[in-house]
Amino acid sequence: MTKYIFVTGGVVSSIGKGIAAASIGRILRNRGFSVTMQKLDPYINVDAGTMNPFQHGEVFVTDDGTETDLDLGHYERFIDANLNRYSSVTTGSVYSEVIAKERRGDYLGGCVQMIPHITNEIKDRIRAAGANPPVDIVIGEIGGTVGDIEGQVFIEAIRQFRKEVGNSNCLNVHVTLIPEVGPWGEIKTKPTQHSVMKLREMGIQPDILICRTKRPISDEMREKISLFCDVSKEGVVESMDVDSIYEVPLVYEDMGLTSLVVGRLGLPDRPANLEQWREIVRRIKEPTYEVAVGVVGKYTDNGDAYISIGEALKHGGIANDAKVSLQWIDSENLDEGDVSAALSGLDAVVVAGGFGKRGIEGKIRSVQYARETQTPYLGLCLGMQMAVIEFARNVCGIGEANSEEMDPTTPEPVIHILPEQKLVTDMGATMRLGEYRCQLVAGTLAERVYGEPVVMERHRHRYELNNEYRERLAKGGMICSGLSPDYRLVEIVEVPDHPYFIATQFHPEFKSRPNRAHPLFQGVIEAAVRRSGGRKCGAASSADGDRA
Ligand code: GLN
């Protein structure tokens, strides 16, 4: 029998509900259970694909090409599993399905209603997550906070779900904030009491409260929360702020959360295997080296917009025993003037993916800087396309080289629209999405870094390197080192005579894990450590001035 854990949030958003859910996944994986995770998002978009990353954070892509909320990235990184379309549910996708069924006549003339039709569809999706593939435990996170109007039908669905599978197969976890208020920073439980009250009004009695706090919660306070919220005292779990998100599973383990969950769900109490995770955290907390890496993009005001890139770089740091000091650099500020003011002192430069024209000249100039100064460079999707344009313009003498995306009438479309994209008019879920095979060319940096001849990587793009320019780029010295199996599509380019210059049409950041850094990220950090001359952690870097 599959067990289900539902995670809701209260008081305010942005208190780390996704990390809390993912960490519960990790502690259960450490006990040898198979786990999948699901995000139940109350927004009306059918998927996250059409959402602006500036407002909503990164769009994460799964192997099967589902464009999802960034929380799925956390889930995959924590539970070390590849998720699929069953892990992403939105109000929009639920309603689309119910309306399609109604149009087909599946409801036999019945009046289609929130309860039971919408709630049934949500419950079917929860069951489907547990069955594709079959797992011991499904952890479902409800987006937003309790009390949001748009989240109500999901709360009602999980209420019904618990009734159907029974109390011993279902657990409700509520993540809440214990804020500090007043001049002496007193910590207050009242917002948590109200949040639980709201949840109970809707028929959900939480079994566990994860209390996010900056200060330790006293025994007395736990008793008070327990009494007012009708949760056992052991069920009131303190979760203090920590330096790294990867510490959270260890905090939960120390707080006894795993035993509590396992006991409550009647699962066998197996010994925990914590070695690997402890080693990850040790390397994060006591690194030998330190490197400064600049990520050039246009959504730098929202740290969540490039979250998988930041995490993948940190994983590269874990693999190389190095702390990665990230600098988010707004490419628009580099469109003109001296780029070296912003980039000198960096040990590596990454140009992120993106869409549209804004800030692209700054990206192209960042590539040029990295290439000419022998600074390790990793280009991701748009960062690959910009690397091709830069090389065409500045090395191959194709002065007007551009992408059709930025200038549809460019005389030199070194990047042009994929043929199958030409007739696409709808924006949602129509890009080249998800996992495709890529063949690596023998003797290239790509092959050396991956250490294998064929790789599978995740994509999200509409444009590609124009094959008509391949020969001229090759004459200039650019190597196409990764190709689709039919050789039609260039997936990786690199520039030799450079310590590390590589750029990919796909998004390797989506496949990196703390215990298994993606080879391209491991490689760029290794090159960065080399460039820094093995600078020890804590020693000043010449980039510190820029950071201050
Ligand atoms: N805008 C580019 C394209 O559609 C790059 C996409 C990306 O960086 N994800 O091809």
Side-chain angles (χ1 to χ4, degrees):
M1 172 80 200
T2 310
K3 308 284 180 176
Y4 299 87
I5 300 174
F6 295 109
V7 180
T8 52
V11 182
V12 288
S13 58
S14 304
I15 51 172
K17 177 160 53 73
I19 301 291
S23 298
I24 295 172
R26 179 73 250 166
I27 57 179
L28 291 165
R29 292 276 287 126
N30 288 344
R31 302 272 171 135
F33 297 108
S34 58
V35 175
T36 196
M37 300 196 60
Q38 184 177 49
K39 181 84 190 272
L40 298 140
D41 258 319
Y43 49 71
I44 295 170
N45 304 58
V46 172
D47 58 41
T50 53
M51 288 173 140
N52 182 340
F54 181 67
Q55 272 177 29
H56 197 78
E58 162 188 284
V59 178
F60 187 79
V61 181
T62 52
D63 282 346
D64 65 3
T66 311
E67 294 172 285
T68 78
D69 190 85
L70 61 85
D71 275 316
L72 267 81
H74 289 312
Y75 302 164
E76 286 203 350
R77 289 186 281 270
F78 276 73
I79 66 171
D80 194 13
N82 295 326
L83 300 177
N84 56 31
R85 65 194 175 89
Y86 297 103
S87 287
S88 181
V89 179
T90 66
T91 298
S93 70
V94 169
Y95 273 77
S96 305
E97 185 60 37
V98 170
I99 292 168
K101 285 181 183 164
E102 184 272 332
R103 294 286 82 185
R104 273 200 310 264
D106 290 5
Y107 299 117
L108 304 174
C111 172
V112 183
Q113 296 180 299
M114 294 270 267
I115 304 172
H117 300 95
I118 297 295
T119 46
N120 282 351
E121 181 66 30
I122 295 170
K123 288 183 289 178
D124 288 349
R125 302 278 186 104
I126 296 169
R127 282 199 185 83
N132 294 286
V135 285
D136 299 327
I137 302 156
V138 178
I139 302 174
E141 177 193 348
I142 316 289
T145 37
V146 56
D148 296 348
I149 288 178
E150 52 192 13
Q152 280 180 4
V153 74
F154 286 99
I155 304 275
E156 168 59 15
I158 64 168
R159 184 197 66 75
Q160 295 174 13
F161 196 88
R162 183 167 177 153
K163 273 267 174 308
E164 287 170 23
V165 297
N167 280 342
S168 57
N169 295 316
C170 189
L171 196 71
N172 288 107
V173 178
H174 191 57
V175 183
T176 170
L177 178 73
I178 309 284
E180 277 181 317
V181 292
W184 291 281
E186 239 184 299
I187 62 173
K188 292 289 190 186
T189 65
K190 190 70 81 188
T192 293
Q193 294 175 36
H194 279 285
S195 172
V196 172
M197 229 184 273
K198 188 80 210 159
L199 204 53
R200 291 169 74 189
E201 248 172 59
M202 298 164 93
I204 306 265
Q205 170 60 52
D207 304 282
I208 292 171
L209 292 177
I210 293 184
C211 301
R212 296 281 296 107
T213 168
K214 287 197 188 314
R215 302 242 206 114
I217 300 173
S218 66
D219 214 42
E220 204 184 325
M221 205 159 251
R222 272 177 88 190
E223 253 162 36
K224 186 172 165 191
I225 298 170
S226 160
L227 180 67
F228 280 90
C229 299
D230 200 15
V231 171
S232 70
K233 198 171 156 199
E234 318 78 76
V236 180
V237 177
E238 169 194 298
S239 176
M240 287 228 291
D241 289 357
V242 280
D243 295 336
S244 160
I245 53 173
Y246 297 114
E247 280 180 68
V248 178
L250 299 178
V251 170
Y252 288 180
E253 189 64 40
D254 289 347
M255 291 284 155
L257 184 61
T258 328
S259 308
L260 193 67
V261 170
V262 165
R264 240 315 257 98
L265 290 174
L267 291 163
D269 198 0
R270 301 180 186 148
N273 176 2
L274 298 169
E275 281 324 298
Q276 188 185 53
W277 211 260
R278 283 203 202 287
E279 178 59 15
I280 289 168
V281 171
R282 191 200 62 75
R283 282 174 175 234
I284 293 171
K285 298 188 97 165
E286 301 160 17
T288 304
Y289 306 108
E290 180 167 0
V291 291
V293 179
V295 179
V296 181
K298 69 173 174 180
Y299 305 117
T300 46
D301 288 347
N302 178 351
D304 281 349
Y306 302 114
I307 191 149
S308 290
I309 300 176
E311 291 309 307
L313 286 166
K314 288 183 205 159
H315 304 161
I318 294 170
N320 286 286
D321 203 10
K323 173 178 174 180
V324 177
S325 300
L326 290 169
Q327 293 187 38
W328 306 104
I329 299 166
D330 186 344
S331 56
E332 238 182 330
N333 296 339
L334 306 181
D335 278 349
E336 283 162 22
D338 180 16
V339 294
S340 66
L343 305 181
S344 69
L346 291 173
D347 301 306
V349 172
V350 174
V351 172
F355 297 84
K357 219 166 152 166
R358 187 164 63 82
I360 64 138
E361 291 305 323
K363 291 185 177 175
I364 295 170
R365 299 172 83 227
S366 304
V367 179
Q368 181 179 11
Y369 173 89
R371 186 177 55 74
E372 291 179 348
T373 60
Q374 302 272 301
T375 306
Y377 176 76
L378 178 60
L380 304 169
C381 207
L382 189 66
M384 176 264 200
Q385 298 173 356
M386 296 301 111
V388 172
I389 294 172
E390 190 280 321
F391 199 82
R393 284 185 190 173
N394 300 326
V395 179
C396 305
I398 311 171
E400 291 188 85
N402 211 334
S403 163
E404 282 181 354
E405 180 182 5
M406 315 308 163
D407 177 6
T409 59
T410 174
E412 303 281 9
V414 291
I415 303 295
H416 71 167
I417 191 138
L418 285 156
E420 64 269 28
Q421 287 286 326
K422 280 192 182 141
L423 299 174
V424 170
T425 50
D426 274 2
M427 296 305 277
T430 55
M431 280 187 246
R432 179 171 180 251
L433 287 168
E435 207 167 54
Y436 288 91
R437 193 176 296 273
C438 168
Q439 319 244 74
L440 305 179
V441 176
T444 59
L445 174 65
E447 191 212 33
R448 204 164 63 243
V449 166
Y450 276 99
E452 50 191 332
V454 179
V455 294
M456 299 289 283
E457 292 285 3
R458 298 183 191 172
H459 298 71
R460 183 170 187 256
H461 66 120
R462 293 188 202 280
Y463 294 83
E464 62 164 349
L465 191 154
N466 183 345
N467 285 328
E468 282 177 23
Y469 287 87
R470 241 150 104 170
E471 217 178 288
R472 286 165 78 185
L473 290 164
K475 272 209 188 104
M478 182 166 258
I479 297 171
C480 296
S481 55
L483 300 164
S484 57
D486 60 3
Y487 297 110
R488 194 187 62 74
L489 199 80
V490 176
E491 297 276 25
I492 310 178
V493 296
E494 55 190 70
V495 173
D497 302 323
H498 188 287
Y500 193 91
F501 190 106
I502 192 159
T504 64
Q505 186 56 80
F506 49 79
H507 291 270
E509 68 272 23
F510 294 146
K511 289 189 77 168
S512 190
R513 306 276 160 84
N515 52 325
R516 242 168 339 105
H518 187 287
L520 291 167
F521 284 90
Q522 180 164 346
V524 75
I525 300 300
E526 191 187 315
V529 171
R530 233 181 297 125
R531 180 175 169 87
S532 78
R535 187 190 318 113
K536 292 281 190 299
C537 185
S541 124
S542 48
D544 283 351
D546 298 329
R547 262 207 301 280

